[in-house]
Amino acid sequence: MLFQPLAQRHRQPEWMDQPGLDPAAHTEALEGLRRINALSGAVGSLLAPIRFLAREHNGQALRVLDLACGGGDNTSALAERARREGLAVRVDGCDLSPQAVAMASRSSRERDLDGVFFQADVLKDPLPDDYDVILCTLFLHHLDEEAAVGLLSRMGRASRQLVLVNDLIRSPLGYGLAWAGCRLLSRSPIVHFDGPVSVQGSFQLEEVRSLAVRAGLDGAKIRRSWPERYLLCWRRPGGPPQP
């Protein structure tokens, strides 16, 4: 891995994305990502607009789908937080990797959650159109601009009410946090490589705004969240504004 200037986006192949990844190494990497996700604050950031929507629905159950969910860390944590707050929210997930789907399903069962996990290629397969909220976390930075616009557009068309995207911000601070955090929280060489590379391939806030406009997500709100991440929030026109 070579450091690249961060003014321009620089995408490199990430080890986690490579076909034929050794299952044991893949599992070790997913465990490392679980620890990182637990400290990322992503779940709290995602829960705020879902909580707002759930309370607006006065107890009517909401269905949430987490695209490219990996091992399901954020998916299950989001469902657990919603349950703890008494919100009528069910969170399902999908991923391209059958190993990730199996890990996510096992985690959901161990937490006594009712989430359903299934295998899907979110860039090619049709997205289900019966979910109130469709979200993704740490996935958009894997894509080139055209694929990112395409995914955001498809999320907007498929979601009944809300689209959420949580991802990294490309910045020197983000790079430093990724480099240090991945080494402190995981022994996986895959995580050590992919973390900083992910920041180099991620978007800056104005770039995300441009992607949202191109995808037809007019009025999307984009704000910073800790630690050097952003949350994109788009509500289908016709509903009350998100906080």
Side-chain angles (χ1 to χ4, degrees), residues 76 79-80 83 105-115:
S76 291
E80 202 165 44
R83 180 175 64 183
S105 299
R106 182 169 62 252
S107 174
S108 181
R109 288 193 303 270
E110 289 172 351
R111 299 185 187 198
D112 196 27
L113 301 169
D114 60 359

Side-chain angles (χ1 to χ4, degrees), residues 71-149:
D73 310 315
N74 288 329
T75 323
S76 291
L78 184 60
E80 202 165 44
R81 284 278 298 274
R83 180 175 64 183
R84 194 181 309 149
E85 294 190 16
L87 302 176
V89 175
R90 168 173 159 170
V91 190
D92 298 336
C94 64
D95 197 272
L96 179 62
S97 163
Q99 185 171 359
V101 169
M103 187 173 183
S105 299
R106 182 169 62 252
S107 174
S108 181
R109 288 193 303 270
E110 289 172 351
R111 299 185 187 198
D112 196 27
L113 301 169
D114 60 359
V116 172
F117 293 87
F118 57 94
Q119 189 176 358
D121 184 339
V122 301
L123 300 180
K124 297 179 181 178
D125 297 335
L127 297 183
D129 60 3
D130 56 349
Y131 283 93
D132 301 289
V133 183
I134 297 182
L135 65 88
C136 68
T137 301
L138 296 182
F139 182 62
L140 207 67
H141 71 264
H142 289 263
L143 310 178
D144 62 36
E145 286 193 13
E146 291 304 316
V149 168

